[in-house]
Amino acid sequence: MKRWRLALFIIVFLLLIGSAYAEQPRREDIGDLIVLHLYGTYHEMGKQQAELLGPDLRRVYEMQLEDFTQLASGAGFGGRFFNYIMIPLYSAVAPFGDDSHFQDEIGGIASVLRVPRRNVMRALFSLAGGSTVFAATRSATADGQSLIGRNVDWGDAYGLRRPVVAIYHPTEGDLDYIFTGWPLVGLPTVGLNEAGLAVSLNFFVSEPRVSLFFPAWPHRSVLQKAKTVEEAIQLIAASGRRGLSAFYVMADATGDIAMVEWTPTRFAVYRPDEDWFGQANHARTQKMIPYDRYRHPDSFQRRAAMEAAVRRHLGNLTPELAVEILRDRTGAAFANEPSVGNPNVINPVVVHPSSLTLWHSTVMQPHAPYGSYVPFTFFKKSVPPTFPASELLTTGALDQERKEIQTARSALKLHREEKFQEARKTWIHLLDSNPGALNTRRLALGYASTLASLNDTKGAYAALETAADKQAPFDVRGLALVARGILADRLGLRGEAIRHYHAALEHFQSQPDFTAFASEMKTARRGLEKSQAKIPLPISPYDVGVPQ
């Protein structure tokens, strides 16, 4: 063989080998962040996820399935109907009409886990979550291009849910895209496709919130098919019955930004008056506000904190400044109060559509926003920079806070495992240590819940005293007042119970825009008429403001 032919053969061979390697499904671990490279059909990519995640996925699946089973069993006939009728029926017929290939992907995951596809769907539906996001463009940014900064606020299940960035290379005609979340999330918390469309999904508690009657999943198909914000809006509008309510923030490489608010059967487009906006988990459009069933002070506080942090940098916003915004806690006196960079952040993400780049932190909870941010890009001409970790991590300034949060999380985990005596001792140890980073009025809700689980009614009633005073956060005080009313009824202190129910109603009615407390208000009204001793307490260990 002549030398030039041999050289050409070697070059072609090496290119083929390199190409084959580049397109092999693979996993990278960058700090705490898991990165998955997926190729093929959606069924194949589902299998690849499960194989690459291995025990990480199995543990999350088993925990979330258990959570769903408990939720469905406690939701009355509606929960049982959803669990035993709707999910199996949907799992059986959905693959035939799902252009997002949601069920194909779930089927691939289920085949590796060796479980029914309907059980994977059940595990997915155990989740909800909050988020704090901004979108900016034109006059608001330094380069005039669009930008999204997003903190996904949700528990990492005591370390089981590691943050995941999955890079999809589908072979079924869809665009390549980047999908962020955690093992077994199903829908993108934040995403970016190769055309430069970026999306951020916030959960929307509406009635109904979920529809499995031949639903579409634009949460996924927008990334797979749309190239601009306008195309995405048209796709969502045409999608018919949507599977899950959502607030969907979008930005594209042309500089357009918008948000779509939707329920399974309704939708509205939010266009900001300025070149930017902040968002959390409550509806903004007049059309959708009446369907918002969970307008919680936490959401309003997080949105206000995000808006304040962005406003300080308007006109100069860059991806690097967006990272600093995601770390902002201005105005929050305690770590377990609502803020942008709160301990519940699991996916801190910055997206710059015009450079086709998404950055994600490499650090887990409780200080995920403070880690270094690594880039993932479809841009071919240069490699975007990595943004360094905050000095707060490297100097130890967050160490005491981390220790207090770890102790609180230990108490929460023990409570979940029904080791109530051990949980009680852990709460006492934490509260007796005079924690400086955590609001003890909020911690009192968790402590009282554990005492109530031990049938220590008198102790739980006393523990809630500080949580029910006027210095407590709005949600903490309202929940504590109703809980003290129930506990007083259990103690036979009917006069005290009525006093607490009256105070709770007056408190909730002072902020009528907070619709998240409808159930507690109903309990308080009933409590004025008769004893509520047999009613479950409206508090849980999960109201304490630290991740679970």
Side-chain angles (χ1 to χ4, degrees):
M1 183 181 291
K2 293 184 178 179
R3 288 184 178 178
W4 70 268
R5 289 179 178 172
L6 178 61
L8 181 61
F9 174 81
I10 292 171
I11 290 171
V12 170
F13 177 77
L14 290 174
L15 286 173
L16 288 173
I17 292 294
S19 176
Y21 172 76
E23 295 188 358
Q24 287 297 311
R26 62 191 188 278
R27 167 177 170 168
E28 303 170 59
D29 287 61
I30 308 175
D32 296 323
L33 179 65
I34 298 172
V35 183
L36 305 178
H37 299 264
L38 310 172
Y39 299 85
T41 68
Y42 285 94
H43 185 82
E44 290 167 345
M45 290 190 287
K47 291 178 66 176
Q48 292 163 19
Q49 286 179 64
E51 290 164 350
L52 293 169
L53 289 169
D56 289 314
L57 180 66
R58 171 68 67 176
R59 288 190 290 266
V60 170
Y61 163 76
E62 290 174 350
M63 179 202 62
Q64 291 182 188
L65 183 61
E66 179 184 348
D67 285 348
F68 177 84
T69 302
Q70 293 177 354
L71 285 170
S73 64
F77 175 76
R80 291 192 293 273
F81 178 79
F82 183 73
N83 187 9
Y84 296 114
I85 304 297
M86 289 305 299
I87 287 182
L89 180 62
Y90 169 66
S91 297
V93 302
F96 300 104
D98 178 15
D99 69 347
S100 79
H101 302 278
F102 192 13
Q103 283 292 307
D104 291 341
E105 189 171 322
I106 289 173
I109 293 170
S111 68
V112 175
L113 290 176
R114 297 184 181 277
V115 299
R117 186 170 53 203
R118 60 183 178 274
N119 278 1
V120 177
M121 201 71 189
R122 288 182 172 113
L124 287 170
F125 277 124
S126 75
L127 290 171
S131 58
T132 319
V133 60
F134 78 85
T137 191
R138 303 185 185 96
S139 66
T141 60
D143 62 2
Q145 301 297 318
S146 62
L147 186 65
I148 285 179
R150 162 74 183 275
N151 276 342
V152 181
D153 307 320
W154 191 237
D156 68 2
Y158 311 105
L160 291 185
R161 292 190 195 108
R162 287 178 58 182
V164 171
V165 168
I167 306 171
Y168 285 71
H169 301 278
T171 57
E172 295 170 291
D174 289 343
L175 298 166
D176 288 3
Y177 59 94
I178 304 169
F179 181 117
T180 74
W182 50 83
L184 211 60
V185 65
L187 303 176
T189 62
V190 188
L192 171 70
N193 68 24
E194 62 178 316
L197 176 67
V199 303
S200 169
L201 169 67
N202 292 28
F203 290 99
F204 177 11
V205 180
S206 67
E207 187 61 44
R209 185 178 181 185
V210 178
S211 173
L212 294 185
F213 186 74
F214 295 103
W217 297 96
H219 324 64
R220 292 166 53 92
S221 55
V222 158
L223 271 180
Q224 296 162 344
K225 305 179 188 310
K227 297 181 179 179
T228 64
V229 167
E230 192 55 44
E231 283 185 20
I233 292 171
Q234 293 173 12
L235 188 153
I236 295 165
S239 59
R241 186 178 292 271
R242 292 162 284 274
L244 181 70
S245 299
F247 302 117
Y248 211 64
V249 175
M250 298 178 290
D252 66 28
T254 74
D256 198 9
I257 62 173
M259 176 172 66
V260 179
E261 302 178 338
W262 77 67
T263 69
T265 57
R266 299 176 178 87
F267 93 106
V269 179
Y270 173 78
R271 293 279 189 178
D273 295 330
E274 302 177 75
D275 285 339
W276 71 282
F277 65 97
Q279 175 63 10
N281 289 83
H282 59 277
R284 305 283 289 273
T285 63
Q286 290 302 312
K287 180 178 179 180
M288 300 307 294
I289 287 173
Y291 306 102
D292 193 338
R293 296 293 183 266
Y294 200 76
R295 297 175 74 78
H296 195 283
D298 170 80
S299 178
F300 287 83
Q301 289 169 294
R302 284 186 290 109
R303 175 185 146 195
M306 177 64 89
E307 290 172 340
V310 172
R311 195 174 285 112
R312 288 192 287 272
H313 301 289
L314 284 178
N316 301 304
L317 291 169
T318 62
E320 191 167 14
L321 269 178
V323 168
E324 293 306 312
I325 288 169
L326 296 186
R327 295 168 175 167
D328 192 273
R329 286 194 190 171
T330 304
F334 300 98
N336 60 336
E337 292 299 333
S339 65
V340 179
N342 67 77
N344 286 280
V345 176
I346 186 170
N347 293 112
V349 186
V350 172
V351 194
H352 190 239
S354 66
S355 67
L356 304 179
T357 305
L358 176 151
W359 287 264
H360 194 294
S361 170
T362 61
V363 171
M364 288 182 68
Q365 290 178 350
H367 296 128
Y370 302 92
S372 62
Y373 286 66
V374 293
F376 303 91
T377 187
F378 293 112
F379 195 64
K380 307 296 184 184
K381 295 182 180 180
S382 62
V383 178
T386 294
F387 300 125
S390 167
E391 290 184 357
L392 293 174
L393 280 184
T394 57
T395 60
L398 296 172
D399 287 355
Q400 182 59 33
E401 175 182 302
R402 183 188 300 276
K403 182 179 178 181
E404 292 177 13
I405 291 171
Q406 286 174 341
T407 304
R409 294 187 86 184
S410 295
L412 296 174
K413 189 170 186 292
L414 290 165
H415 185 103
R416 176 189 172 91
E417 295 168 351
E418 298 186 356
K419 299 175 181 177
F420 299 125
Q421 287 288 2
E422 294 175 56
R424 173 183 170 275
K425 291 176 183 177
T426 306
W427 285 122
I428 291 172
H429 172 72
L430 175 61
L431 293 168
D432 284 351
S433 70
N434 296 316
L438 303 179
N439 188 336
T440 55
R441 289 185 172 90
R442 193 172 289 279
L443 296 178
L445 298 179
Y447 178 42
S449 180
T450 296
L451 292 176
S453 297
L454 288 166
N455 296 316
D456 183 0
T457 305
K458 188 174 181 179
Y461 181 80
L464 288 171
E465 182 175 359
T466 60
D469 70 33
K470 293 184 178 180
Q471 301 304 312
F474 184 89
D475 57 320
V476 171
R477 182 167 188 255
L479 295 174
L481 286 169
V482 177
R484 291 197 98 200
I486 295 169
L487 291 165
D489 271 333
R490 292 179 186 177
L491 292 167
L493 304 173
R494 185 67 184 138
E496 283 294 291
I498 290 173
R499 182 173 66 84
H500 289 308
Y501 295 136
H502 269 302
L505 286 171
E506 182 180 343
H507 179 72
F508 289 135
Q509 288 165 354
S510 71
Q511 294 288 344
D513 199 33
F514 296 155
T515 62
F517 306 104
S519 176
E520 288 77 19
M521 292 180 71
K522 186 176 181 180
T523 297
R525 289 191 183 99
R526 287 178 174 174
L528 296 178
E529 300 172 2
K530 62 180 182 180
S531 172
Q532 299 296 294
K534 296 182 179 180
I535 298 296
L537 295 184
I539 60 172
S540 81
Y542 313 116
D543 296 315
V544 300
V546 300
Q548 288 87 54

